[in-house]
Amino acid sequence: MWKRRTFHECAEELEMVSRAFRRAYTDSSSIDPTNRMRVLHESSEKGIEILRILALSIRSEQDFGNLPKRSITVGALKNAVNENEITVTLSNYQPPYEEKTDFEPLVLREALNKIAHANPSRAGFFASTATHDLILSGKKGDRNWVAILSIIDLCHAIKSLPDQTTQQD
């Protein structure tokens, strides 16, 4: 039998994965290089898996009125960007996302959509001991977008929702 996890359990696991990634990423001197690369690789894979489970499960529950669509900011979004703007954001992003004047707030629901529709070959991240932001890009229709998503803020937002079992069908 397949035990399904709850949204809160997934968010807590994502927080642990993020901490492990950030620790390995920022503290390269105290971890043996082979183990460091293993932790970075495994935590990236696990984090992406959890993000996709959460994005699809929560969106589905919201679509059918089983979860509220709360306007909790978890990042920043810029619509109608060109390829160069995506490249510049991926290459030069520095937090905090709240100070990006040419971006608008990215709320939870839209962040879940961006996770589901992101182009995996045009994504990046910024990680420090206190920050773990993803930079995602994609298309909506014929218009490019770029989003900055705080993993830490996303986890807090998910844990503010009523908890329920994820749909992993």
Side-chain angles (χ1 to χ4, degrees):
M1 183 158 127
W2 191 3
K3 182 187 179 306
R4 297 178 184 201
R5 297 179 292 169
T6 69
F7 297 143
H8 290 194
E9 288 171 338
C10 287
E12 288 168 6
E13 184 175 3
L14 185 57
E15 286 174 327
M16 289 187 298
V17 167
S18 173
R19 275 192 298 274
F21 180 89
R22 287 181 284 139
R23 194 169 29 252
Y25 186 76
T26 60
D27 190 14
S28 61
S29 63
S30 68
I31 303 171
D32 111 72
T34 303
N35 189 42
R36 179 177 184 254
M37 291 308 294
R38 181 190 56 77
V39 170
L40 291 171
H41 180 76
E42 288 176 3
S43 58
S44 292
E45 283 184 349
K46 189 67 173 171
I48 291 167
E49 175 188 327
I50 296 167
L51 281 170
R52 288 184 174 155
I53 288 168
L54 286 168
L56 297 175
S57 295
I58 292 171
R59 286 173 54 216
S60 177
E61 293 299 319
Q62 288 178 332
D63 288 348
F64 290 97
N66 299 326
L67 274 179
K69 294 180 183 176
R70 296 195 178 138
S71 295
I72 304 166
T73 301
V74 297
L77 173 66
K78 187 173 183 182
N79 285 303
V81 297
N82 60 43
E83 288 294 326
N84 186 55
E85 289 174 292
I86 294 170
T87 300
V88 167
T89 304
L90 286 167
S91 301
N92 300 328
Y93 172 70
Q94 292 289 311
Y97 68 81
E98 298 96 328
E99 293 180 5
K100 303 302 171 211
T101 56
D102 51 347
F103 283 69
E104 61 189 59
L106 177 66
V107 297
L108 177 61
R109 171 67 183 200
E110 188 66 15
L112 299 172
N113 288 334
K114 296 310 181 204
I115 293 165
H117 297 290
N119 177 349
S121 67
R122 297 284 283 160
F125 69 92
F126 178 93
S128 68
T129 55
T131 304
H132 193 174
D133 293 347
L134 299 181
I135 299 100
L136 306 174
S137 66
K139 281 186 167 280
K140 186 172 185 178
D142 62 347
R143 298 173 74 175
N144 293 320
W145 53 264
V146 64
I148 302 163
L149 169 66
S150 167
I151 295 294
I152 295 166
D153 291 352
L154 177 73
C155 290
H156 291 322
I158 290 169
K159 291 186 343 185
S160 77
L161 297 171
D163 201 14
Q164 56 190 61
T165 304
T166 60
Q167 299 299 312
Q168 297 178 12
D169 299 325

